[in-house]
């Protein structure tokens, strides 16, 4: 039986496995296919060009490559063949080109210094690595020197020279004292880029004998120390103030050369009293925004990611109250070669054409040279199919023997670039890589994506068929993607069935079948409803669903978007949720979620819990406070507390809460100690050392908590070592060269004794270094300076007091400070999916260049212009952030038929890295918006004039307008529909030969080549025939009609006069007579204080009736309560009371609007109001 693999087509990623670039092919990354196809070698991994190695460890020179057949490897050293078989210390890893030089077993690293290059070769060509320069790191000792004490007059400048030994790589310099504490630096005292310590002016507090310069060699993890330098400052009165003089650089001008992409560091340090302030400017321009930083108290100007535009003259100005000094640094930015277009692998079919392009830039402009299989192309074997034209190799009519690996070398005096790109000539019949008989399942009205991944050389043509003998699929209801995928944008039930994909080229043909099943959507046909329930009642929510019979739904109930409480009162049925014995905590929103393997739906309802009516028979209250607290059995870490409960006030005591006060550390503040059941009146309490305890007890019942008891006697426990270490230890750098260690300080209660301090320890992770420790006072932060940028550290913080240390703390991992990312994402590509959606791809940046925690990537994109209007306008850039190490993202909400630009930047905790080069892409045409207006003017007997405005958003090139119209008869039935197509350049139209005195409905929309836009509708009427209009009779001018109206008006006037007289008499009306005959002793008289009646209530007043009222809560008078209901005389109870208490609702209709509460009118109704009640 045929097995089917089930996947969800709506979740299937649309991976572009195959795309045709010019006339070249891309080979899909299908493991089975790659094993079968021949391929020239490709270098996949190699060591850096400048490779500094640790002389104490084995040297590993990496060279990994792939190819079919697997390549063999060879090496050159200093330009000549390196025979590794003749050197016992050198081995090559199996199935690899990586060399391992055994230094730890007697070898000398210095003996293997040199330039190495790897070659990977198979029958289709040879790829070569970069020239890898191997140099062992060096950390020499400081030369011995005799240092004389420095005696300096107060206010003079001073420079303490470091002059560290020359190492490889150069060391990191920092100044510390004998206690290994970083020397404080400021605007007055700071370290220069060369490591020297500069004093703009010395002060008496600068006198000390332990100015020590340290050089840290990170590669070998060693630190060298210079002899301590002594400084003695002698005072002279008065101290002479001086204007600024530059200590470094000297002279008035200097030059600086920096390479593109590097960090430019310029420094100015000045002497003077008062201490000078440094300011930086760029002559003839502005300092670059977002890339300029000031360090070392503005003495150092730092510009990151410099380019040729940053060349120029930079001036530093040192100023104090006595004057200023300045220095101009002329900066020239050169550039090592960098890629504009690196050559890319080329897969061709026999007889096809192609090109390899190698374009690079630099300053000075680099020279481009080509190699074939590692040999200069000028002396390589000739190939009649290739022609070299500067930075381009042109291939024409290639054959299988034309396969080779070509190297492009771009070099200038500052460096070189080397790229391998192969030409692989393949002749392959079509292959379909998608599994046979794959089953796709989707929900109706959603997209379906059926895959047909393929490969062949020449590139095959793809066709789709439905059914075993169906015809080829065409039309707007299908989308055919370049990678072979068939998309059905809106799948229906009749879309289910077998689909066949056929791939063919001149070497053969192959087909594959897949199955599509379209399921009915899941629906909630009866949703849960809002409920109000009394406390301790029962409530039920319904959730009845309808779903496809082949899908198995699961129903989940949530409360306030979280799980239901784990309580047996909640009963989940097949299609309902029942809550028994409802409490106040059950108040909230309940959601029913229905999930299948293909879709999910949900519905919510709110439950409101209200109090049950109180029973006034028993009065419940909070308990009285406990009393007679007593401490017994006092020990170092425990004590027994007992008490006498107070009155429980008709509600049993459920538990007692014991609280304590620490009179030594936090007097007046009470903390929770423990709770015990309400039947218990003694408790054994655990105590902490070095605390002056007082206790109090609070009783709790269902009504609430009692007042606290009176405090017990005090009990002071003895001191001891700390029991715990500070929590929340973290290591996060605030600057690129520091590590800020923080923790949460212990409280006085946790200190267990006097003299609380912390031992802070740290060491760099994975370096096998010793711990560095320092003991600090009772603080919560310590800063380690001079760290490498963003490296992991092991950190621990231990508490101690006058009696000793806490237990050994656990270690946490922190990181030194982050810096801005160094490089931009590369290989940015944009795939336009439709007119409003695009997908952007990029290559991830190397993690070592992120220099921090990778937070994600930001895509900046903006509209350049609309292709239909050709007018540029400034549009604010939009930003989308994609979290994590993603390599793609979707750009929604684009405008059709427009030109856009975008760039991508990597983001870490410090900020954003440089932007990738702007990428331009265009969106295709879409359907237009509706026309901006449609006006119908100049109606005649048989014609109407239509005028319209073009769409506000054409979203493409308008091809025409579509006008549809139809007549509407007197019963609002629509007549036949007429359609007219109008050229796109027209803005008005006269419709003729219409019927007179007829209403027409018009539907109007615009079209582009994509389709029709939304329509605008309007109605208009042609005018009436004059002859017919003259036969119409105006009924208002007829005598009989006028007479009838006068009679009606007279009758109404008589009725109004009778009503007015009867109402003003008061008391003589049916309701009053019946009330007098059936007097009710419970009816209260009018209250004298507010003039209101005790029995009747305004119908719109939502307040409860006053005490003594017989009117029920729904404000109707029940018939059984009184045989004579007010309803018998008026329209409901919405009547009024007159000044004398007479009811007038029996004559007047309901009030249109009730008067505001408390402002009812006491006047008799006017005849006008009475007239309104009759009309």
């Amino acid at each position: 039986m045929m097995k089917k693999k089930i996947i969800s087509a709506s979740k299937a990623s649309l991976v572009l496995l195959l795309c045709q670039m010019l006339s070249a092919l891309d080979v899909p990354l299908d493991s089975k296919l790659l094993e079968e196809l021949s391929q020239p070698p490709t270098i996949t991994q190699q060591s850096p060009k400048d490779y500094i190695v640790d002389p104490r460890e084995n040297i590993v020179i990496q060279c990994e490559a792939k190819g079919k057949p697997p390549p063999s490897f060879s090496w050159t050293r200093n330009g000549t063949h390196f025979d590794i078989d003749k050197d016992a210390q050198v081995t090559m890893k199996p199935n690899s080109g990586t060399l391992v030089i055994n230094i730890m077993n007697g070898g000398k690293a210095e003996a293997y210094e040199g330039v190495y290059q790897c070659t990977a070769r198979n029958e289709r060509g040879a790829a070569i690595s970069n020239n890898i320069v191997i140099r062992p790191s060096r950390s020499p000792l400081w030369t011995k020197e005799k240092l004389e004490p420095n005696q300096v007059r107060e206010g003079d400048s001073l420079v303490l020279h470091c002059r560290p030994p020359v190492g490889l790589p150069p060391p990191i310099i920092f100044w510390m004292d004998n206690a290994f504490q970083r020397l404080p630096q400021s605007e007055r005292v700071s370290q220069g880029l060369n490591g020297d310590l500069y004093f703009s002016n010395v002060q008496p507090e600068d006198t000390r004998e332990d100015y020590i310069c340290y050089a840290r060699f990170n590669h070998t993890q060693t630190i060298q120390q210079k002899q301590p330098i002594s400084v003695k400052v002698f005072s002279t009165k008065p101290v002479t103030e001086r204007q600024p003089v530059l200590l470094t650089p000297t002279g008035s001008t200097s030059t600086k050369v920096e390479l593109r992409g590097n960090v430019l560091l310029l420094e100015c340090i000045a002497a003077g009293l008062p201490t000078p302030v440094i300011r930086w400017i760029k002559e003839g321009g502005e300092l670059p925004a977002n890339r300029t930083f000031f360090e070392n108290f503005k003495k150092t100007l730092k510009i990151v990611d410099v380019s040729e535009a940053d060349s120029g003259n930079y001036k530093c100005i040192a100023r104090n109250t006595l004057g200023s000094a300045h220095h101009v640094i002329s900066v020239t930015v050169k550039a090592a070669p960098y890629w504009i277009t690196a050559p890319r692998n080329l897969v061709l079919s026999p007889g096809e054409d192609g090109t390899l392009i190698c374009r690079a830039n630099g300053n000075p402009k680099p020279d481009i040279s080509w190699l074939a299989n590692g040999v200069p192309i000028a002396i390589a074997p000739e190939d009649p199919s290739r022609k070299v034209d500067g930075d381009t190799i042109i291939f024409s009519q290639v054959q299988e023997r034309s396969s080779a690996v070509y190297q492009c070398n771009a070099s200038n005096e500052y460096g070189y670039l080397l790229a391998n790109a192969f030409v692989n000539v393949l002749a392959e019949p079509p292959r379909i890589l998608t599994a046979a008989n794959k089953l796709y399942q989707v929900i109706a009205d959603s997209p379906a994506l059926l895959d047909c991944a393929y490969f062949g050389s020449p590139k095959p043509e793809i066709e789709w068929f439905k059914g075993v003998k169906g015809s080829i699929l065409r039309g707007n209801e299908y989308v055919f993607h370049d990678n072979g995928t068939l998309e059905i944008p809106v799948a229906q039930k009749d879309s289910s069935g077998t689909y066949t994909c056929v791939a063919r080229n001149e070497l053969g043909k192959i087909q594959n079948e897949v199955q599509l099943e379209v399921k009915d959507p899941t629906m909630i046909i009866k949703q849960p409803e809002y409920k109000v329930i009394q406390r301790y009642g029962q409530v039920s929510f319904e959730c009845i669903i309808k779903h496809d019979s082949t899908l198995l739904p699961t129903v989940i109930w949530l409360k306030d978007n979280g799980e239901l409480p784990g309580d047996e009162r909640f009963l989940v049925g097949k299609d309902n949720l029942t809550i028994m014995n409802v409490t106040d905590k059950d108040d909230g929103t309940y959601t029913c979620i229905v999930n299948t393997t293909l879709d999910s739906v949900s519905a919510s309802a709110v439950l409101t819990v209200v109090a049950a009516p109180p029973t006034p028979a028993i009065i419940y209250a909070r308990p009285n406070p406990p009393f007679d607290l007593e401490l017994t059995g006092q020990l170092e870490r425990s004590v027994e507390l007992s008490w006498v409960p107070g009155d429980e006030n008709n509600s049993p005591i459920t538990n007692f809460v014991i609280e304590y006060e620490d009179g030594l550390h936090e007097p007046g503040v009470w903390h929770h100690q423990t709770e015990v059941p309400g039947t218990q009146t003694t408790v054994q309490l655990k105590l902490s050392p070095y605390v002056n305890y007082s206790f109090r007890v609070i009783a709790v019942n269902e009504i609430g908590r009692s007042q606290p008891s009176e405090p017990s006697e005090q009990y002071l426990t003895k001191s001891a070592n700390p029991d715990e270490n500070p929590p929340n230890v973290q290591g996060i750098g605030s600057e690129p060269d520091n590590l800020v260690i923080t923790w949460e300080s212990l409280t006085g209660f946790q200190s267990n004794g006097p003299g609380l301090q912390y031992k802070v320890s740290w060491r760099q992770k994975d370096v096998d270094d010793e711990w560095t420790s320092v003991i600090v006072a009772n603080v919560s932060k310590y800063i380690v300076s001079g760290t490498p940028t963003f490296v992991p550290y092991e950190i621990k913080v231990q508490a101690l007091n006058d009696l000793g240390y806490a237990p050994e703390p656990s270690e946490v991992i922190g990181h030194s400070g982050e810096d801005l990312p160094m490089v931009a994402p590369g290989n940015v590509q944009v795939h336009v999916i439709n007119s409003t959606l695009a997908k952007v791809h990029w290559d991830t940046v190397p993690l070592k260049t992120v220099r921090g925690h990778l937070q994600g990537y930001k895509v900046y994109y903006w509209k350049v212009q609309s292709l239909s209007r050709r007018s540029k306008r400034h549009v604010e850039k939009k930003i989308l952030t994609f979290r994590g190490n993603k390599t793609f993202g979707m750009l929604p909400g684009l405008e059709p038929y427009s030109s856009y630009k975008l760039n991508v930047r990597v983001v870490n905790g410090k900020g954003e890295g440089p932007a990738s080069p702007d990428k331009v892409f265009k969106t295709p045409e879409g359907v237009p918006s509706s026309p901006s207006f449609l006006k119908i003017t100049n109606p005649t007997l048989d014609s109407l004039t239509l005028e319209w405005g073009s769409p506000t958003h054409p979203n493409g090139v308008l091809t025409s307008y579509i006008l549809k119209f139809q007549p509407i008869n007197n019963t609002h039935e629509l007549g036949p529909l007429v359609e007219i197509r109008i050229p796109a350049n027209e803005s008005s139209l006269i419709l003729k030969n219409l019927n007179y005195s007829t209403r027409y409905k018009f539907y109007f929309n615009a079209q582009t080549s994509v389709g029709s836009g939304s329509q605008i509708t309007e109605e208009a009427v042609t005018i009436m025939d004059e002859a017919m209009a003259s036969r119409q009779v105006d009924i208002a001018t007829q005598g009989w009609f006028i007479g009838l109206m006068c009679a009606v008006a007279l009758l109404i006037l008589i009725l109004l006069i009778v009503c007015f007289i009867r109402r003003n008499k008061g008391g003589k009306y049916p309701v009053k007579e019946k009330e007098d005959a059936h007097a009710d002793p419970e009816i209260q008289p009018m209250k004298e204080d507010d003039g209101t009646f005790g029995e009747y209530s305004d119908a719109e007043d939502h307040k409860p009736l006053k005490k003594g009222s017989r009117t029920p809560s729904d404000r109707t008078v029940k018939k059984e309560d009184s045989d004579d209901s007010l309803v018998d005389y008026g329209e409901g109870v919405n009547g009024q009371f007159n000044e004398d208490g007479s009811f007038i609702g029996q004559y007047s209709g309901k009030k249109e609007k009730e008067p505001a509460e408390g402002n009812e009118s006491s006047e008799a109704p006017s005849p006008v109001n009475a007239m309104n009640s009759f009309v």
Side-chain angles (χ1 to χ4, degrees), residues 822-838:
M822 298 171 62
V823 300
N827 194 24
V828 177
Q829 300 291 332
V830 181
H831 171 57
V832 178
I833 296 176
N834 56 39
S835 60
T836 61
L837 181 65

Side-chain angles (χ1 to χ4, degrees), residues 319-393:
R319 187 183 304 276
N320 66 9
T321 56
L322 299 183
S324 64
H326 69 269
H327 184 92
V328 176
I329 305 174
S330 179
V331 174
T332 303
V333 178
K334 299 290 187 179
Y338 57 91
W339 289 120
I340 297 176
T341 304
R344 300 180 60 182
N345 294 335
L346 203 59
V347 179
L348 300 173
S349 302
E352 285 188 331
D353 303 335
T355 57
L356 289 179
I357 301 174
C358 175
R359 289 176 185 157
N361 203 357
N363 187 6
K365 188 170 183 63
D367 296 325
I368 304 292
S369 61
W370 289 94
L371 298 89
N373 296 327
V375 177
I377 202 164
I379 60 174
E382 290 189 6
D383 184 348
S385 66
R386 76 172 177 238
K387 176 185 177 183
V388 179
D389 185 9
D391 58 9
T392 304
I393 301 180

